[in-house]
Amino acid sequence: MAVRHQLVLRKPGVVWSLLEDETRYGDWVVGTHKTGPGEGQWPELGSSIDYTVRVGPKEFQGHTTVRRIDRPGVLELEADNGPLGTARIAFDIRSWGDNTLVIVDEHPLRGPGGVFHNAALDALLQIRHRTMLGRLARVVEDMPPDADHP
């Protein structure tokens, strides 16, 4: 299991507004090349977004489905990367003074990632999360000040 956290210098409502905007996932999610609408109204329970993942010269189609949502604190997703398998990605959004603590917890569910899950895979996920959460923080912190919510 790979768990990582990031302090974001904005209020939780601003972080949440980014998570609710499926058109912005490519701005901060590592590995997504193209994103687009899937099923339902994102991020309602059961809704999804579609995306393309590039691994070297190969491209894989995938989709991410909302499995649990408890605004404005919890968003749990299941990412399905086709032949690469599926993973649970959980975001825990916590108020931290005037800022936000974002905790991401990811682990493979099915496919090769689930079968071969080990410490080396977790180390790679940690590197990916460090980059992803850093991007998320930059995108949120660059949003206009009037985007702040209580």
Side-chain angles (χ1 to χ4, degrees):
M1 171 171 26
V3 178
R4 188 141 190 106
H5 66 276
Q6 174 79 39
L7 184 64
V8 180
L9 305 179
R10 294 299 288 276
K11 293 181 179 180
V14 183
V15 174
W16 194 258
S17 70
L18 181 66
L19 293 176
E20 287 187 323
D21 186 350
E22 77 273 14
T23 67
R24 303 287 313 265
Y25 268 65
D27 295 344
W28 60 272
V29 175
V30 175
T32 57
H33 177 61
K34 297 178 202 169
T35 61
E39 300 291 322
Q41 182 65 42
W42 186 265
E44 298 305 321
L45 189 64
S47 65
S48 65
I49 55 174
D50 296 330
Y51 55 87
T52 302
V53 174
R54 277 194 179 157
V55 179
K58 301 278 187 191
E59 285 190 355
F60 299 95
Q61 302 303 309
H63 64 275
T64 295
T65 303
V66 176
R67 296 296 185 206
R68 181 173 175 242
I69 183 169
D70 186 10
R71 286 181 180 92
V74 176
L75 180 63
E76 292 190 25
L77 309 172
E78 183 175 354
D80 184 342
N81 295 307
L84 300 176
T86 67
R88 171 190 173 262
I89 306 165
F91 293 90
D92 182 354
I93 310 301
R94 298 181 185 183
S95 180
W96 199 259
D98 289 335
N99 301 308
T100 305
L101 184 62
V102 177
I103 303 166
V104 65
D105 171 0
E106 179 175 354
H107 62 267
L109 295 173
R110 291 177 278 192
V115 172
F116 301 110
H117 184 215
N118 57 37
L121 178 58
D122 280 347
L124 290 174
L125 287 174
Q126 287 286 347
I127 293 167
R128 178 177 179 264
H129 289 166
R130 181 181 316 134
T131 303
M132 179 180 73
L133 288 172
R135 287 182 185 178
L136 182 139
R138 280 190 299 281
V139 170
V140 169
E141 291 168 3
D142 286 346
M143 292 172 76
D146 61 353
D148 278 332
H149 302 289

